[in-house]
Amino acid sequence: MDRLDTNRKRIKTQYLWIYGFIFPGAVVFFMFYFWPILQVFFTSFTKWSGTNTPEYIGFDNYIRLFKSGAFVASLQNLLWWTVIAVVIHVGFGTLVAFVLFRKPRGWKFTRLVFMIPNVISIAAWAIIFRFFFDDKMGFVNKFVRLFNGDFEVAWLAKTPYSFWVVTATWLFFAVVVTLIVQGDLMAIPVDLHEAARIDGASVMQTILRIDLPLCRIGIGTGIICSATSRIAMYESIVLTTGGGPGNSTMNLPVLMVRKILDGEAGYANAMATIMIVIGLVTLLVVNKAFRMNNSAL
Protein backbone atom coordinates (compact mmCIF):
# COMPACT_ATOMS: atom_id res chain seq x y z
CA MET A 1 0.00 0.00 0.00
CA ASP A 2 2.87 2.36 0.86
CA ARG A 3 4.50 1.58 -2.48
CA LEU A 4 1.22 2.38 -4.30
CA ASP A 5 0.92 5.71 -2.48
CA THR A 6 4.54 6.49 -3.32
CA ASN A 7 3.93 5.79 -7.01
CA ARG A 8 0.84 7.99 -7.02
CA LYS A 9 2.77 10.85 -5.42
CA ARG A 10 5.55 10.39 -7.97
CA ILE A 11 3.03 10.49 -10.86
CA LYS A 12 1.38 13.62 -9.43
CA THR A 13 4.80 15.27 -9.11
CA GLN A 14 5.60 14.40 -12.74
CA TYR A 15 2.29 15.83 -13.90
CA LEU A 16 2.95 19.02 -11.93
CA TRP A 17 6.25 19.43 -13.74
CA ILE A 18 4.55 18.78 -17.08
CA TYR A 19 1.82 21.33 -16.36
CA GLY A 20 4.46 23.77 -15.16
CA PHE A 21 6.25 23.59 -18.51
CA ILE A 22 2.99 23.75 -20.50
CA PHE A 23 1.54 26.71 -18.59
CA PRO A 24 3.77 29.49 -20.05
CA GLY A 25 3.12 28.24 -23.58
CA ALA A 26 -0.61 28.03 -22.92
CA VAL A 27 -0.63 31.61 -21.59
CA VAL A 28 1.20 32.86 -24.69
CA PHE A 29 -1.18 30.91 -26.95
CA PHE A 30 -4.31 32.35 -25.34
CA MET A 31 -2.92 35.90 -25.22
CA PHE A 32 -1.47 36.16 -28.72
CA TYR A 33 -3.48 33.60 -30.72
CA PHE A 34 -6.78 32.45 -29.25
CA TRP A 35 -7.94 35.79 -27.83
CA PRO A 36 -7.08 37.80 -31.01
CA ILE A 37 -8.90 35.18 -33.11
CA LEU A 38 -11.98 35.59 -30.93
CA GLN A 39 -11.75 39.36 -31.35
CA VAL A 40 -11.47 38.99 -35.11
CA PHE A 41 -14.54 36.78 -35.17
CA PHE A 42 -16.75 39.01 -33.01
CA THR A 43 -15.70 42.29 -34.66
CA SER A 44 -16.42 40.78 -38.10
CA PHE A 45 -20.10 41.38 -37.26
CA THR A 46 -19.52 45.07 -36.56
CA LYS A 47 -18.88 48.35 -38.30
CA TRP A 48 -15.46 49.22 -36.94
CA SER A 49 -12.61 51.40 -38.14
CA GLY A 50 -10.07 49.92 -35.74
CA THR A 51 -10.15 52.91 -33.37
CA ASN A 52 -13.82 53.62 -32.68
CA THR A 53 -16.29 51.57 -30.64
CA PRO A 54 -17.51 48.59 -32.73
CA GLU A 55 -21.14 48.93 -33.86
CA TYR A 56 -22.99 45.62 -34.31
CA ILE A 57 -24.42 45.27 -37.85
CA GLY A 58 -25.09 41.52 -38.04
CA PHE A 59 -24.12 39.73 -41.25
CA ASP A 60 -23.83 42.92 -43.35
CA ASN A 61 -20.05 42.55 -43.77
CA TYR A 62 -20.42 38.99 -45.04
CA ILE A 63 -23.23 39.96 -47.41
CA ARG A 64 -21.06 42.75 -48.80
CA LEU A 65 -18.17 40.33 -49.18
CA PHE A 66 -20.02 37.81 -51.31
CA LYS A 67 -21.38 40.62 -53.47
CA SER A 68 -17.88 41.99 -54.03
CA GLY A 69 -16.28 41.13 -57.37
CA ALA A 70 -12.79 41.44 -55.85
CA PHE A 71 -13.65 38.96 -53.11
CA VAL A 72 -15.13 36.43 -55.54
CA ALA A 73 -12.05 36.82 -57.78
CA SER A 74 -9.83 36.26 -54.72
CA LEU A 75 -11.63 32.99 -53.94
CA GLN A 76 -11.31 31.85 -57.55
CA ASN A 77 -7.59 32.66 -57.59
CA LEU A 78 -7.14 30.86 -54.28
CA LEU A 79 -8.88 27.78 -55.68
CA TRP A 80 -6.60 27.70 -58.73
CA TRP A 81 -3.46 28.35 -56.68
CA THR A 82 -4.42 25.59 -54.25
CA VAL A 83 -4.94 23.07 -57.06
CA ILE A 84 -1.62 24.08 -58.64
CA ALA A 85 0.13 23.86 -55.27
CA VAL A 86 -1.25 20.41 -54.47
CA VAL A 87 -0.52 18.96 -57.91
CA ILE A 88 2.71 20.68 -59.02
CA HIS A 89 4.31 22.28 -55.96
CA VAL A 90 3.88 19.31 -53.62
CA GLY A 91 4.32 16.85 -56.50
CA PHE A 92 7.64 18.41 -57.50
CA GLY A 93 8.89 18.53 -53.92
CA THR A 94 7.94 14.88 -53.42
CA LEU A 95 9.66 13.86 -56.66
CA VAL A 96 12.88 15.61 -55.62
CA ALA A 97 12.70 13.85 -52.23
CA PHE A 98 12.43 10.43 -53.91
CA VAL A 99 15.32 11.22 -56.26
CA LEU A 100 17.58 12.46 -53.45
CA PHE A 101 16.67 9.43 -51.32
CA ARG A 102 18.15 7.16 -54.01
CA LYS A 103 21.42 9.16 -53.74
CA PRO A 104 22.29 9.33 -57.43
CA ARG A 105 25.57 10.85 -58.57
CA GLY A 106 25.73 14.53 -57.62
CA TRP A 107 22.80 14.31 -55.18
CA LYS A 108 24.54 16.40 -52.50
CA PHE A 109 25.21 19.23 -54.95
CA THR A 110 21.62 19.02 -56.20
CA ARG A 111 20.28 19.22 -52.64
CA LEU A 112 22.44 22.27 -51.94
CA VAL A 113 21.36 24.09 -55.11
CA PHE A 114 17.72 23.19 -54.48
CA MET A 115 17.87 24.69 -51.00
CA ILE A 116 19.62 27.96 -51.86
CA PRO A 117 16.56 29.83 -53.25
CA ASN A 118 14.58 28.96 -50.13
CA VAL A 119 16.91 30.91 -47.83
CA ILE A 120 16.08 34.11 -49.73
CA SER A 121 13.08 36.01 -48.40
CA ILE A 122 9.80 35.99 -50.31
CA ALA A 123 9.96 39.78 -50.65
CA ALA A 124 13.41 39.57 -52.25
CA TRP A 125 12.22 36.88 -54.68
CA ALA A 126 9.23 39.02 -55.61
CA ILE A 127 11.50 41.97 -56.45
CA ILE A 128 13.78 39.69 -58.48
CA PHE A 129 10.83 38.35 -60.47
CA ARG A 130 9.46 41.86 -60.97
CA PHE A 131 12.65 42.97 -62.73
CA PHE A 132 13.10 39.57 -64.40
CA PHE A 133 9.72 39.94 -66.16
CA ASP A 134 9.83 43.70 -66.70
CA ASP A 135 8.54 44.43 -70.21
CA LYS A 136 11.24 47.03 -70.99
CA MET A 137 14.45 45.86 -69.37
CA GLY A 138 13.59 42.39 -68.06
CA PHE A 139 15.72 39.38 -68.98
CA VAL A 140 12.80 37.38 -70.43
CA ASN A 141 11.81 39.96 -73.03
CA LYS A 142 15.42 40.80 -73.87
CA PHE A 143 16.21 37.14 -74.44
CA VAL A 144 13.19 36.58 -76.69
CA ARG A 145 14.06 39.74 -78.68
CA LEU A 146 17.31 38.08 -79.71
CA PHE A 147 15.14 35.88 -81.94
CA ASN A 148 12.14 38.18 -82.45
CA GLY A 149 13.01 41.86 -82.37
CA ASP A 150 9.36 42.96 -82.19
CA PHE A 151 8.49 40.85 -79.15
CA GLU A 152 6.76 42.90 -76.46
CA VAL A 153 4.76 41.40 -73.58
CA ALA A 154 3.86 43.26 -70.40
CA TRP A 155 4.04 40.18 -68.19
CA LEU A 156 2.95 41.96 -65.02
CA ALA A 157 0.26 44.15 -66.55
CA LYS A 158 -1.70 41.73 -68.74
CA THR A 159 -3.97 38.76 -68.09
CA PRO A 160 -3.24 35.80 -67.88
CA TYR A 161 0.52 36.45 -67.84
CA SER A 162 0.41 38.22 -64.47
CA PHE A 163 -1.23 35.21 -62.81
CA TRP A 164 1.52 32.87 -63.96
CA VAL A 165 4.31 35.28 -63.01
CA VAL A 166 2.97 35.40 -59.44
CA THR A 167 2.63 31.60 -59.47
CA ALA A 168 6.24 31.23 -60.62
CA THR A 169 7.51 33.08 -57.53
CA TRP A 170 6.75 30.01 -55.38
CA LEU A 171 5.88 27.10 -57.65
CA PHE A 172 9.21 25.27 -57.76
CA PHE A 173 10.62 26.34 -54.40
CA ALA A 174 9.37 23.24 -52.58
CA VAL A 175 12.29 22.42 -50.29
CA VAL A 176 10.04 22.22 -47.21
CA VAL A 177 7.95 19.49 -48.85
CA THR A 178 11.13 17.72 -49.91
CA LEU A 179 12.59 17.73 -46.40
CA ILE A 180 9.36 16.46 -44.82
CA VAL A 181 8.92 13.62 -47.32
CA GLN A 182 12.62 12.75 -47.21
CA GLY A 183 12.35 12.42 -43.43
CA ASP A 184 9.52 9.91 -43.88
CA LEU A 185 11.54 7.98 -46.44
CA MET A 186 14.52 7.74 -44.10
CA ALA A 187 12.24 6.39 -41.36
CA ILE A 188 11.14 3.40 -43.47
CA PRO A 189 12.76 0.22 -42.09
CA VAL A 190 15.53 -1.11 -44.34
CA ASP A 191 14.07 -4.61 -43.90
CA LEU A 192 11.04 -3.67 -46.01
CA HIS A 193 13.19 -2.64 -48.97
CA GLU A 194 15.38 -5.73 -48.62
CA ALA A 195 12.30 -7.99 -48.50
CA ALA A 196 10.90 -6.30 -51.59
CA ARG A 197 14.22 -6.76 -53.41
CA ILE A 198 14.35 -10.46 -52.47
CA ASP A 199 10.77 -10.92 -53.73
CA GLY A 200 11.84 -9.47 -57.09
CA ALA A 201 10.05 -6.13 -56.85
CA SER A 202 11.28 -3.47 -59.26
CA VAL A 203 12.26 0.03 -58.14
CA MET A 204 8.94 1.43 -59.37
CA GLN A 205 6.96 -1.29 -57.60
CA THR A 206 8.86 -0.57 -54.37
CA ILE A 207 8.07 3.14 -54.68
CA LEU A 208 4.38 2.60 -55.44
CA ARG A 209 3.71 -0.26 -53.00
CA ILE A 210 5.98 0.70 -50.07
CA ASP A 211 7.46 4.20 -50.18
CA LEU A 212 4.45 6.25 -51.27
CA PRO A 213 1.96 4.67 -48.83
CA LEU A 214 4.41 5.06 -45.95
CA CYS A 215 5.05 8.71 -46.88
CA ARG A 216 1.40 9.71 -46.92
CA ILE A 217 1.67 11.66 -43.64
CA GLY A 218 4.63 13.67 -44.93
CA ILE A 219 2.90 14.33 -48.25
CA GLY A 220 -0.29 15.33 -46.42
CA THR A 221 1.70 17.70 -44.21
CA GLY A 222 3.28 19.20 -47.32
CA ILE A 223 -0.18 19.74 -48.85
CA ILE A 224 -1.38 21.49 -45.69
CA CYS A 225 1.70 23.74 -45.56
CA SER A 226 1.50 24.57 -49.26
CA ALA A 227 -2.28 25.16 -49.39
CA THR A 228 -2.35 27.33 -46.26
CA SER A 229 0.61 29.33 -47.59
CA ARG A 230 -1.51 30.19 -50.63
CA ILE A 231 -4.24 31.47 -48.30
CA ALA A 232 -1.75 33.78 -46.56
CA MET A 233 0.23 34.79 -49.68
CA TYR A 234 0.87 38.55 -49.59
CA GLU A 235 4.39 39.84 -50.37
CA SER A 236 4.80 38.06 -53.70
CA ILE A 237 1.59 39.69 -54.98
CA VAL A 238 2.00 43.19 -53.55
CA LEU A 239 5.58 43.51 -54.81
CA THR A 240 4.88 42.21 -58.32
CA THR A 241 1.36 42.98 -59.53
CA GLY A 242 -0.38 44.54 -56.53
CA GLY A 243 -3.34 42.29 -57.23
CA GLY A 244 -3.83 43.46 -60.80
CA PRO A 245 -4.38 43.88 -63.62
CA GLY A 246 -7.98 44.20 -62.50
CA ASN A 247 -8.42 41.38 -60.01
CA SER A 248 -6.47 38.76 -61.94
CA THR A 249 -3.97 38.18 -59.11
CA MET A 250 -6.06 39.47 -56.21
CA ASN A 251 -6.19 37.42 -53.02
CA LEU A 252 -7.71 37.73 -49.56
CA PRO A 253 -4.71 39.12 -47.59
CA VAL A 254 -4.12 41.90 -50.15
CA LEU A 255 -7.79 42.81 -50.15
CA MET A 256 -7.91 42.64 -46.36
CA VAL A 257 -4.96 45.01 -45.90
CA ARG A 258 -6.53 47.46 -48.32
CA LYS A 259 -9.74 47.55 -46.30
CA ILE A 260 -7.83 48.01 -43.04
CA LEU A 261 -6.01 51.01 -44.53
CA ASP A 262 -9.39 52.35 -45.68
CA GLY A 263 -10.64 52.24 -42.09
CA GLU A 264 -12.91 49.20 -42.54
CA ALA A 265 -11.42 46.88 -39.93
CA GLY A 266 -14.73 45.10 -39.26
CA TYR A 267 -15.14 44.33 -42.96
CA ALA A 268 -11.50 43.18 -43.12
CA ASN A 269 -12.03 40.90 -40.11
CA ALA A 270 -14.90 39.22 -41.93
CA MET A 271 -12.35 38.29 -44.61
CA ALA A 272 -9.91 37.13 -41.93
CA THR A 273 -12.62 34.90 -40.43
CA ILE A 274 -13.26 33.31 -43.82
CA MET A 275 -9.50 32.75 -44.24
CA ILE A 276 -9.40 30.97 -40.87
CA VAL A 277 -12.39 28.82 -41.82
CA ILE A 278 -10.81 27.89 -45.18
CA GLY A 279 -7.59 26.94 -43.39
CA LEU A 280 -9.42 24.75 -40.87
CA VAL A 281 -11.46 23.04 -43.59
CA THR A 282 -8.25 22.36 -45.54
CA LEU A 283 -6.66 20.86 -42.44
CA LEU A 284 -9.64 18.60 -41.73
CA VAL A 285 -10.01 17.43 -45.34
CA VAL A 286 -6.32 16.57 -45.74
CA ASN A 287 -6.22 14.87 -42.34
CA LYS A 288 -9.18 12.72 -43.35
CA ALA A 289 -7.97 11.98 -46.88
CA PHE A 290 -4.44 10.99 -45.84
CA ARG A 291 -5.46 9.32 -42.53
CA MET A 292 -2.83 11.42 -40.80
CA ASN A 293 -3.97 10.43 -37.32
CA ASN A 294 -3.10 6.80 -38.04
CA SER A 295 0.42 5.43 -37.92
CA ALA A 296 2.09 4.99 -41.30
CA LEU A 297 3.76 1.76 -40.24
Side-chain angles (χ1 to χ4, degrees), residues 200-272:
S202 64
V203 173
M204 186 57 64
Q205 287 175 326
T206 302
I207 291 173
L208 295 177
R209 301 287 181 86
I210 297 176
D211 295 343
L212 270 178
L214 294 181
C215 287
R216 73 172 192 279
I217 294 177
I219 296 172
T221 303
I223 290 174
I224 291 172
C225 292
S226 185
T228 52
S229 294
R230 307 290 72 80
I231 299 171
M233 189 165 55
Y234 179 75
E235 300 100 318
S236 57
I237 295 177
V238 169
L239 295 174
T240 51
T241 64
N247 293 318
S248 62
T249 60
M250 183 59 67
N251 79 333
L252 296 178
V254 175
L255 194 58
M256 183 177 66
V257 171
R258 287 184 181 181
K259 294 304 177 182
I260 292 174
L261 296 177
D262 290 340
E264 296 186 76
Y267 185 61
N269 284 349
M271 279 183 259

Side-chain angles (χ1 to χ4, degrees), residues 1-12:
M1 193 70 178
D2 292 339
R3 183 179 298 177
L4 182 60
D5 291 338
T6 302
N7 288 336
R8 286 176 178 174
K9 290 180 180 179
R10 185 181 301 167
I11 292 172
K12 287 181 179 179

Side-chain angles (χ1 to χ4, degrees), residues 126-143 145 151-157 165 240:
I127 295 296
I128 291 171
F129 270 78
R130 181 174 180 176
F131 286 105
F132 193 74
F133 286 96
D134 185 85
D135 55 323
K136 299 298 181 184
M137 61 183 205
F139 171 80
V140 174
N141 279 5
K142 281 189 175 181
F143 178 77
R145 287 192 196 109
F151 185 82
E152 189 75 32
V153 172
W155 297 97
L156 300 173
V165 170
T240 51

Side-chain angles (χ1 to χ4, degrees), residues 1-292:
M1 193 70 178
D2 292 339
R3 183 179 298 177
L4 182 60
D5 291 338
T6 302
N7 288 336
R8 286 176 178 174
K9 290 180 180 179
R10 185 181 301 167
I11 292 172
K12 287 181 179 179
T13 303
Q14 291 175 346
Y15 273 110
L16 286 175
W17 277 105
I18 293 171
Y19 292 142
F21 281 109
I22 291 175
F23 181 73
V27 171
V28 171
F29 174 80
F30 278 99
M31 286 179 60
F32 296 102
Y33 287 91
F34 186 71
W35 178 245
I37 288 173
L38 285 181
Q39 286 186 310
V40 166
F41 176 73
F42 287 117
T43 55
S44 70
F45 297 97
T46 66
K47 184 178 181 181
W48 183 44
S49 67
T51 56
N52 67 324
T53 302
E55 176 188 345
Y56 179 75
I57 57 173
F59 288 91
D60 287 2
N61 286 331
Y62 291 94
I63 293 171
R64 280 183 59 198
L65 268 180
F66 286 96
K67 289 182 178 179
S68 168
F71 176 75
V72 173
S74 298
L75 290 181
Q76 290 174 342
N77 290 336
L78 174 60
L79 175 61
W80 282 114
W81 276 322
T82 301
V83 172
I84 293 170
V86 170
V87 176
I88 301 179
H89 183 75
V90 177
F92 180 67
T94 301
L95 177 63
V96 173
F98 273 82
V99 172
L100 294 179
F101 179 67
R102 297 290 170 182
K103 297 182 179 180
R105 184 176 181 181
W107 70 276
K108 290 184 178 179
F109 176 76
T110 303
R111 183 179 61 183
L112 175 64
V113 172
F114 187 58
M115 289 184 178
I116 287 175
N118 294 272
V119 302
I120 301 175
S121 70
I122 297 174
W125 266 121
I127 295 296
I128 291 171
F129 270 78
R130 181 174 180 176
F131 286 105
F132 193 74
F133 286 96
D134 185 85
D135 55 323
K136 299 298 181 184
M137 61 183 205
F139 171 80
V140 174
N141 279 5
K142 281 189 175 181
F143 178 77
V144 177
R145 287 192 196 109
L146 294 176
F147 308 96
N148 182 0
D150 298 327
F151 185 82
E152 189 75 32
V153 172
W155 297 97
L156 300 173
K158 287 186 178 181
T159 306
Y161 306 118
S162 56
F163 179 89
W164 292 109
V165 170
V166 170
T167 303
T169 61
W170 54 264
L171 186 58
F172 294 108
F173 304 132
V175 70
V176 174
V177 178
T178 298
L179 293 176
I180 294 173
V181 175
Q182 197 170 13
D184 276 3
L185 286 170
M186 294 174 67
I188 297 175
V190 178
D191 296 346
L192 289 178
H193 287 149
E194 290 180 351
R197 196 179 303 113
I198 292 173
D199 290 341
S202 64
V203 173
M204 186 57 64
Q205 287 175 326
T206 302
I207 291 173
L208 295 177
R209 301 287 181 86
I210 297 176
D211 295 343
L212 270 178
L214 294 181
C215 287
R216 73 172 192 279
I217 294 177
I219 296 172
T221 303
I223 290 174
I224 291 172
C225 292
S226 185
T228 52
S229 294
R230 307 290 72 80
I231 299 171
M233 189 165 55
Y234 179 75
E235 300 100 318
S236 57
I237 295 177
V238 169
L239 295 174
T240 51
T241 64
N247 293 318
S248 62
T249 60
M250 183 59 67
N251 79 333
L252 296 178
V254 175
L255 194 58
M256 183 177 66
V257 171
R258 287 184 181 181
K259 294 304 177 182
I260 292 174
L261 296 177
D262 290 340
E264 296 186 76
Y267 185 61
N269 284 349
M271 279 183 259
T273 301
I274 290 175
M275 289 169 60
I276 293 171
V277 171
I278 292 173
L280 290 175
V281 170
T282 301
L283 179 63
L284 292 173
V285 169
V286 175
N287 269 333
K288 186 71 173 178
F290 285 81
R291 295 180 289 113
M292 296 180 64

